Structures are given as structure tokens and as C-alpha cells.
Amino acid sequence: MKYKKIKQKIKGKIYILYVADTPKKQIQGLSNMDISKKEGMIFIYPDEQPDRLFTMAKTKHKLRLIFIDEKENIVHQEIGYPYQKKSITCKKPSKYVIEILS
């Protein structure tokens, strides 16, 4: 699958983020992908909603998930573990989610 990439500064570090802006790309996410410490993914949704749900069942990396609202405020962060069965969710409304190696 071909992803657009953007540069984003997070906590003083520059990351190259793969853009997941379609349902197909969002379902795939970082599952079965190899990424470096300077790469990640940004999920861009058309609207802000609560209860965004993420699974790590096919993800081989420990990831930090950063949930962001439409005003670009961080509303929740959580660590996801490789092949974790329990879903990760944010109860607060979010429009963007960034995943980077943790």
C-alpha cells in the first residue's frame, strides 16, 4: 500500500509519519510493517469523535499512541504492546492519532 509521508516534530524530535487517511489504510495501520525510531503513522479522520478504537493484535512494535483533538491538543496517550489483545481506546473526542515507537 502506498502512503503519503509528512514530517512532524514530536517532543523535540522530527518524525516521518505515514498518512493513514482512508479506511483501508487506517485498518492496516502499522500491522506487519517495519519502521525506524524516526518513523510512525498519523491517522487522519474526517471528523472529531470519542471512542476511537485501536488494536495491536498484528503489530510487532511497542508503540505510543497519541490522541489529538481538532484543535491539535493532546487528549490522551497510551502505550500499546506487540501483539496485545486488549484494544486501546480514547473516551475523549479525537480527530488525529499518531503512533510512534515507544
Side-chain angles (χ1 to χ4, degrees):
M1 195 171 310
K2 184 137 174 108
Y3 291 93
K4 183 173 101 176
K5 298 176 189 176
I6 62 169
K7 285 185 181 181
Q8 180 67 45
K9 191 173 191 176
I10 303 169
K11 295 189 174 190
K13 296 179 184 176
I14 299 292
Y15 289 86
I16 301 298
L17 301 177
Y18 296 94
V19 178
D21 56 358
T22 67
K24 186 175 181 179
K25 290 176 182 177
Q26 291 163 350
I27 289 168
Q28 175 66 30
L30 290 173
S31 296
N32 300 315
M33 286 180 69
D34 286 316
I35 60 170
S36 75
K37 291 182 180 181
K38 295 182 181 181
E39 294 178 308
M41 183 167 279
I42 183 166
F43 297 78
I44 301 175
Y45 296 97
D47 56 359
E48 185 177 68
Q49 290 185 7
D51 298 320
R52 299 254 181 236
L53 182 75
F54 284 75
T55 61
M56 299 284 296
K58 295 180 183 177
T59 306
K60 54 185 164 183
H61 303 287
K62 181 180 174 186
L63 299 174
R64 174 176 303 277
L65 285 81
I66 305 167
F67 294 81
I68 303 166
D69 67 15
E70 63 187 6
K71 294 179 182 172
E72 299 185 3
N73 297 307
I74 295 173
V75 295
H76 181 70
Q77 292 188 58
E78 194 162 332
I79 301 296
Y81 295 91
Y83 308 109
Q84 175 179 322
K85 300 220 186 299
K86 182 182 176 209
S87 297
I88 296 170
T89 189
C90 175
K91 296 293 181 192
K92 296 178 182 176
S94 60
K95 182 171 176 154
Y96 311 98
V97 180
I98 294 176
E99 293 181 340
I100 55 175
L101 291 177
S102 178

